[in-house]
Amino acid sequence: MQKKAENKLKRYLPLGIKKLFFHYWIKSFLVLFCSSIAYAQDLPISIDDSTDFDIEIIQDTTEVLLDTLSLDAELAEEESKPWSITASGMIRNKQIQNGVDVSGNNSVGTISTDIYHENGFSAGLDISRRMGEINPGYQSTVARIGYTYSASDWLDISGIFTRYRYATDSINPVAGIPNMISVSATAYFAGIFTDITFDRMFGLNTESVSYISLNLMGMMSIADFTIMPIGSVVLTRYQLESKRLIKASPAKVKTVTALSLCSIGLSLRYKISEQFSIISTPNLMYTPDKSLSYSDLQFSISGGIRYSIDW
């Protein structure tokens, strides 16, 4: 979801924030220019309320957008590039996916790359390795391909197919299910992203897992520092063989419908240069299903570096 938000804001920022800065830069320039002429001619000049430099973004946004729409649309078109690619190296103390502990309570190192096109196409690849003391070694390879349709300026509809390959089919509760299809709707309103996603994991056997998640995310920037608060709630229905579960049950196959995750966290990014950023994601999670996770209350944190380029 973080990547969706960043890509959507790339389209919105030129049509919003840049208009505000351009509008007030022109306003300041004209006032200073007129003041200089008046001073040179020894003429009095009076500055009334119309020359107030206090930026009232809430009251003035509509006016600014209307005043500068044509010019800024041209600037945004010049800056737009169709392709984006990101590559990152991350280390996290544990890997929790929709309330499922997929790393066996181990720390994990991951190398990722993703590519996007402005028409909505995306693809990505992750390679992970367990770095903890419990069963260190190769963890997984994850490949994905997707498409996002922009239904309007405030609504995106996405579909993603993901293929998982784990070291063994019993390394975590969902390791025996290699495929997942995800469908999501992401709405943007008043600076908040609201995302509803349905995930369906399936394979050749009878095991399956379904998730329905609600995610809320905001975004704010201070200079080169970006902060994204994130909240998530995930409900799951799974049918899994007992031998794969963290806490095994007497039945050969366990079928459960339950809450699997509630989490709050932050996605933090510091921009080093145009291409490089330092990223970190601390999360506090409630994972009540003992068959899928080792403890109820967990804290996870990841950190790494990301490279991105548009062309």
Side-chain angles (χ1 to χ4, degrees), residues 191-210:
I192 302 295
F193 291 89
T194 302
D195 178 271
I196 299 176
T197 298
F198 173 77
D199 300 308
R200 174 72 173 180
M201 300 187 71
F202 62 95
L204 297 178
N205 55 25
T206 58
E207 293 180 296
S208 64
V209 181
S210 298

Side-chain angles (χ1 to χ4, degrees), residues 68-107:
T68 61
L69 180 61
S70 177
L71 176 59
D72 204 70
E74 293 176 4
L75 293 174
E77 184 176 353
E78 291 175 0
E79 295 175 0
S80 177
K81 296 181 180 180
W83 290 96
S84 298
I85 187 169
T86 65
S88 63
M90 298 285 293
I91 296 176
R92 49 175 58 89
N93 66 327
K94 62 179 65 178
Q95 187 174 6
I96 307 295
Q97 177 181 300
N98 287 329
V100 181
D101 189 332
V102 297
S103 65
N105 220 20
N106 285 265
S107 57

Side-chain angles (χ1 to χ4, degrees), residues 173 238 244-249 254 256 288-293:
Y238 62 85
R244 302 190 203 279
L245 302 177
I246 292 174
K247 183 178 180 180
S249 68
K254 185 175 182 179
V256 173
D289 194 325
K290 293 295 194 301
S291 297
L292 304 178
S293 186

Side-chain angles (χ1 to χ4, degrees), residues 242-307:
S242 180
K243 64 180 182 180
R244 302 190 203 279
L245 302 177
I246 292 174
K247 183 178 180 180
S249 68
K252 182 178 180 181
V253 176
K254 185 175 182 179
T255 302
V256 173
T257 301
L259 173 71
S260 61
L261 174 70
C262 286
S263 71
I264 54 173
L266 295 171
S267 177
L268 309 173
R269 183 182 67 179
Y270 179 74
K271 189 175 181 180
I272 304 173
S273 66
E274 287 299 319
Q275 283 78 40
F276 286 95
S277 301
I278 297 173
I279 51 179
S280 179
T281 308
N283 279 289
L284 182 63
M285 299 172 290
Y286 174 61
T287 51
D289 194 325
K290 293 295 194 301
S291 297
L292 304 178
S293 186
Y294 285 93
S295 59
D296 290 344
L297 193 63
Q298 303 190 65
F299 176 76
S300 72
I301 186 168
S302 63
I305 190 166
R306 176 185 296 172
Y307 173 82

Side-chain angles (χ1 to χ4, degrees), residues 101-307:
D101 189 332
V102 297
S103 65
N105 220 20
N106 285 265
S107 57
V108 174
T110 303
I111 297 174
S112 303
T113 184
D114 288 274
I115 188 169
Y116 307 90
H117 191 268
E118 63 181 5
N119 67 5
F121 167 81
S122 65
L125 180 69
D126 303 338
I127 300 175
S128 300
R129 179 180 176 84
R130 291 190 179 197
M131 303 174 65
E133 297 179 357
I134 305 172
N135 297 324
Y138 169 74
Q139 162 75 4
S140 64
T141 299
V142 181
R144 56 192 168 273
I145 187 170
Y147 180 78
T148 298
Y149 171 69
S150 292
S152 68
D153 287 342
W154 58 272
L155 179 64
D156 285 350
I157 308 296
S158 303
I160 300 175
F161 173 76
T162 305
R163 175 77 177 185
Y164 296 90
R165 181 183 180 275
Y166 288 98
T168 69
D169 64 359
S170 58
I171 197 170
N172 63 57
V174 297
I177 311 176
N179 307 304
M180 184 168 74
I181 291 179
S182 304
V183 179
S184 65
T186 306
Y188 178 80
F189 181 74
I192 302 295
F193 291 89
T194 302
D195 178 271
I196 299 176
T197 298
F198 173 77
D199 300 308
R200 174 72 173 180
M201 300 187 71
F202 62 95
L204 297 178
N205 55 25
T206 58
E207 293 180 296
S208 64
V209 181
S210 298
Y211 306 102
I212 296 178
S213 60
L214 171 64
N215 308 285
L216 299 176
M217 184 172 67
M219 182 180 288
M220 56 183 173
S221 295
I222 304 172
D224 294 327
F225 190 60
T226 302
I227 304 172
M228 302 180 187
I230 304 171
S232 300
V233 177
V234 181
L235 300 177
T236 184
R237 177 176 174 80
Y238 62 85
Q239 183 174 324
L240 296 170
E241 293 185 14
S242 180
K243 64 180 182 180
R244 302 190 203 279
L245 302 177
I246 292 174
K247 183 178 180 180
S249 68
K252 182 178 180 181
V253 176
K254 185 175 182 179
T255 302
V256 173
T257 301
L259 173 71
S260 61
L261 174 70
C262 286
S263 71
I264 54 173
L266 295 171
S267 177
L268 309 173
R269 183 182 67 179
Y270 179 74
K271 189 175 181 180
I272 304 173
S273 66
E274 287 299 319
Q275 283 78 40
F276 286 95
S277 301
I278 297 173
I279 51 179
S280 179
T281 308
N283 279 289
L284 182 63
M285 299 172 290
Y286 174 61
T287 51
D289 194 325
K290 293 295 194 301
S291 297
L292 304 178
S293 186
Y294 285 93
S295 59
D296 290 344
L297 193 63
Q298 303 190 65
F299 176 76
S300 72
I301 186 168
S302 63
I305 190 166
R306 176 185 296 172
Y307 173 82

Side-chain angles (χ1 to χ4, degrees), residues 31-32 35 44-53:
V31 172
L32 291 173
S35 300
I45 182 170
S46 61
I47 300 177
D48 56 21
D49 292 340
S50 64
T51 56
D52 185 6
F53 296 132

Side-chain angles (χ1 to χ4, degrees), residues 1-12 84 86 116-117 122 148 156 193 219 310:
M1 169 142 184
Q2 176 184 344
K3 293 174 183 176
K4 287 184 189 177
E6 291 174 345
N7 290 336
K8 183 174 281 291
L9 283 182
K10 283 181 182 178
R11 300 200 300 269
Y12 289 166
S84 298
T86 65
Y116 307 90
H117 191 268
S122 65
T148 298
D156 285 350
F193 291 89
M219 182 180 288
D310 299 336

